[in-house]
Amino acid sequence: MARQIAIIQGHPDPSGKHFGHALAAAYKKGAEDAGHEVNTIEVARLEFPLLHSKADWEKADPPESIKKAQKIVGRANHLVLFYPLWLGTMPAVLKGFLEQVLRPDFAISSLEEGLTWKKQLGGISARVVVTMGMPALVYRWYFHAHSLKSLEKNILKFCGISPVKESLIGMVEQEDDSYRSKWLGKMEALGRDGK
């Protein structure tokens, strides 16, 4: 069954020359070859301000770039986020983007006098692909993948996005072409399967 897939490229460098960009391109190729509809959001190419207050997050009108991104996310039934691990977490531009996109009345809504939130993005699944310089096992077992778990639980699942799968790709700066080719093949296969 064909899926509506939104790829969110969270690398802060808009040049498109990093391994994370190649991984996203491989995923997209596999997905499109299998008949899935794919839309890509290149976060580093968007113009948007950072939010500075709760009032801005709740009430300010999102910029046009964010409204377009919300339309893409709102149509999707599967999200794929790609980003490099920077200082133990996602790059700031991606966090700023998520704060802008996942606003009240789009991603969540208040039920009763602000006492609880209704998840607005149910029916959407996700995959998070994180590249890093350290071995992926060190990030997962020694650092407990703390920032990834926060993204999954406190951002994605908070909005109703579930299930959330992950692909952790370590040692991206030291590994050889066969290692990279293996991961590119895996991403293409995941794209074909819409997972």
Side-chain angles (χ1 to χ4, degrees):
M1 180 176 171
R3 302 192 80 186
Q4 296 274 344
I5 299 172
I7 293 176
I8 299 173
Q9 176 53 260
H11 200 293
D13 183 350
S15 72
K17 297 179 181 177
H18 298 276
F19 188 47
H21 293 99
L23 292 166
Y27 185 99
K28 182 176 182 177
K29 179 186 183 312
E32 289 180 338
D33 287 352
H36 303 295
E37 183 179 326
V38 182
N39 289 288
T40 302
I41 301 168
E42 295 271 351
V43 175
R45 296 180 184 271
L46 301 180
E47 293 288 332
F48 59 88
L50 295 178
L51 295 173
H52 293 278
S53 69
K54 184 177 183 235
D56 284 348
W57 182 64
E58 290 180 341
K59 308 262 188 253
D61 194 35
E64 244 353 92
S65 61
I66 296 301
K67 288 178 183 176
K68 288 178 183 175
Q70 286 176 328
K71 285 181 185 171
I72 291 170
V73 171
R75 282 196 312 263
N77 53 29
H78 187 62
L79 303 179
V80 189
L81 287 84
F82 290 85
Y83 67 87
L85 192 69
W86 278 24
L87 294 175
T89 189
M90 70 181 80
V93 70
L94 178 57
K95 178 67 163 57
F97 169 80
L98 293 174
E99 289 174 0
Q100 280 279 9
V101 169
L102 302 177
R103 292 168 174 253
D105 298 326
F106 173 74
I108 55 175
S109 63
S110 181
L111 285 179
E112 292 179 26
E113 301 297 319
L115 297 177
T116 187
W117 295 97
K118 179 182 177 190
K119 300 173 181 188
Q120 299 282 95
L121 299 179
I124 301 176
S125 58
R127 174 166 297 275
V128 180
V129 181
V130 185
T131 57
M132 61 195 75
M134 74 176 87
L137 279 175
V138 171
Y139 176 66
R140 185 181 298 282
W141 298 110
Y142 182 77
F143 293 105
H144 305 289
H146 66 284
S147 63
L148 176 60
K149 288 179 184 175
S150 177
L151 169 63
E152 290 175 0
K153 181 179 180 183
N154 301 325
I155 298 175
L156 300 176
K157 289 182 179 178
F158 182 73
C159 299
I161 299 169
S162 182
V164 179
K165 307 285 185 182
E166 59 203 36
S167 298
L168 303 179
I169 306 170
M171 305 296 289
V172 295
E173 294 169 359
Q174 285 84 29
E175 295 298 339
D176 59 21
D177 288 341
S178 64
Y179 177 81
R180 288 175 177 247
S181 294
K182 178 185 84 166
W183 272 109
L184 291 170
K186 283 184 179 182
M187 282 299 120
E188 191 170 338
L190 286 168
R192 275 194 305 274
D193 293 340
K195 295 184 175 176

